[in-house]
Amino acid sequence: MALTRGLKSSAALISWKPTGRLQQTLAGCVELTGLGLHSGKSSKVMISPEFARKGRYFDCNSNCSIPASIDFALRPSPLSTTLSKDGVQVRTVEHLLSALEATGVDNCRIQIHSLDSDDSQVEIPILDGSSRQWVDLILEVGLRVAVDECGRSCERLAPHLNEPYHARVDDAFIAAFPSPELRITYGIHFPQVSEIGSQWVSFPLLDDSVYVQQIASSRTFCLLEQVEQMREAGLIKGGSLENAIVCSASEGWLNGPLRLPDEPCRHKVLDLIGDLSLCAGSGNQGLPVAHIVAYKGGHALHTDFARGLAKS
């Protein structure tokens, strides 16, 4: 893993600036139950309003509270992002956190209960493989201004990138460049699968409408030829054609049609937003205001990039 800053390394990589809006929380509670993609176990998630400056955090079976922060991201975490604290793990947090970050839920308590066991590993339900159901619930219940314990509102800050920064592994990379607005450009390359091939997408994320209309419905995807290998590794125990789109090198998509053009690449943007949301803290924005360009990334590269930003 290579992490590299621009030539002007004496200045701070990130500056926190006001966004012109107040911190938000949910106007009510939302709840969903479903299977975990990798564990195959059922869990119930309830998301509740929280005070300003509390940020987003998980309350688990064992009464352990885990902030949705890069400081608690497990390394390595294959094919998903896992948060860990005091022996308790919350797996596959990326789709839910993506929805919360994109819709502006800055502060909330996320209670998760395993319905199959009381062990120390719980997993966010995969649902249909996208973040659409989370977004629908958030939009239905709505947001309100978050206040602290004294009833005071707080301005929401955003991290602004001051100089170029990138992380790479072999030919996979994430690079970020200073920009007055947030934009994500993403590319994937699957030459062995003609139905996927090379795809590029680019989105300005000025408000939640782009995310809601162009990104939230995109589902996680996998190659049929890799399914058995993943199962032998103890992964995707809850995976099915109901919660992922599956492509075969010889037969194409097994459960098409796709919801959106370039759906696999759009889902990579969804994942990246969830992983970079872990840069958030104290109810502020996690996504850096920058032009972020990623190619052939995954959760390990996403979270290493986030660590580098957070440590600057």
Side-chain angles (χ1 to χ4, degrees):
M1 173 68 65
L3 302 172
T4 307
R5 293 181 62 173
L7 296 177
K8 298 179 181 180
S9 58
S10 59
L13 181 60
I14 291 291
S15 295
W16 290 88
K17 301 179 181 181
T19 61
R21 59 177 289 259
L22 300 175
Q23 290 187 13
Q24 305 285 303
T25 189
L26 291 169
C29 297
V30 300
E31 183 178 314
L32 276 176
T33 299
L35 285 178
L37 173 62
H38 296 299
S39 66
K41 296 179 179 180
S42 295
S43 62
K44 180 173 72 173
V45 175
M46 176 180 286
I47 311 174
S48 307
E50 185 51 281
F51 288 118
R53 294 196 181 99
K54 293 293 186 180
R56 299 181 284 257
Y57 63 94
F58 293 87
D59 268 352
C60 306
N61 291 353
S62 59
N63 297 319
C64 174
S65 178
I66 306 178
S69 164
I70 193 62
D71 293 336
F72 298 94
L74 195 63
R75 187 178 186 180
S77 180
L79 299 182
S80 66
T81 298
T82 299
L83 301 179
S84 179
K85 179 185 174 185
D86 298 333
V88 177
Q89 294 183 6
V90 184
R91 302 175 69 181
T92 320
V93 299
E94 59 271 14
H95 297 175
L96 171 55
L97 292 180
S98 181
L100 294 169
E101 175 77 10
T103 57
V105 183
D106 306 311
N107 303 277
C108 63
R109 177 190 185 194
I110 307 165
Q111 295 171 276
I112 176 168
H113 300 282
S114 175
L115 303 180
D116 293 335
S117 65
D118 58 353
D119 59 26
S120 60
Q121 292 192 12
V122 292
E123 186 173 15
I124 302 296
I126 189 63
L127 304 174
D128 69 349
S130 75
S131 65
R132 184 172 64 179
Q133 288 173 263
W134 294 118
V135 167
D136 288 346
L137 286 176
I138 293 167
L139 295 180
E140 180 180 350
V141 74
L143 304 183
R144 62 171 172 82
V145 172
V147 296
D148 63 17
E149 290 91 333
C150 297
R152 297 170 298 194
S153 60
C154 305
E155 181 147 32
R156 186 192 202 224
L157 304 179
H160 287 248
L161 192 71
N162 294 322
E163 61 185 70
Y165 175 75
H166 80 267
R168 64 178 176 86
V169 176
D170 300 325
D171 62 341
F173 68 84
I174 304 178
F177 305 92
S179 171
E181 63 182 37
L182 171 58
R183 174 178 286 271
I184 296 179
T185 300
Y186 213 116
I188 60 175
H189 185 52
F190 289 84
Q192 74 276 32
V193 185
S194 61
E195 288 288 331
I196 301 178
S198 295
Q199 300 180 5
W200 283 91
V201 295
S202 187
F203 298 106
L205 297 174
L206 305 180
D207 55 47
D208 63 7
S209 64
V210 173
Y211 183 88
V212 171
Q213 297 169 15
Q214 301 292 331
I215 299 170
S217 294
S218 59
R219 295 161 291 178
T220 192
F221 69 98
C222 70
L223 306 184
L224 178 65
E225 291 76 12
Q226 297 177 352
V227 167
E228 195 57 38
Q229 178 184 355
M230 290 188 285
R231 285 178 173 161
E232 290 176 355
L235 302 171
I236 64 167
K237 295 177 182 177
S240 73
L241 294 177
E242 302 301 317
N243 54 38
I245 46 175
V246 182
C247 196
S248 164
S250 60
E251 302 175 27
W253 293 106
L254 302 188
N255 54 339
L258 300 184
R259 291 176 175 173
L260 297 161
D262 303 321
E263 185 173 350
C265 200
R266 292 170 191 254
H267 186 79
K268 287 290 191 177
V269 175
L270 187 158
D271 279 344
L272 179 61
I273 292 170
D275 290 336
L276 294 188
S277 78
L278 295 172
C279 292
S282 302
N284 294 310
Q285 180 172 313
L287 279 171
V289 178
H291 185 184
I292 303 167
V293 182
Y295 178 64
K296 296 175 67 172
H299 294 295
L301 184 58
H302 294 172
T303 51
D304 277 336
F305 180 81
R307 284 187 189 92
L309 290 177
K311 291 178 180 179
S312 65

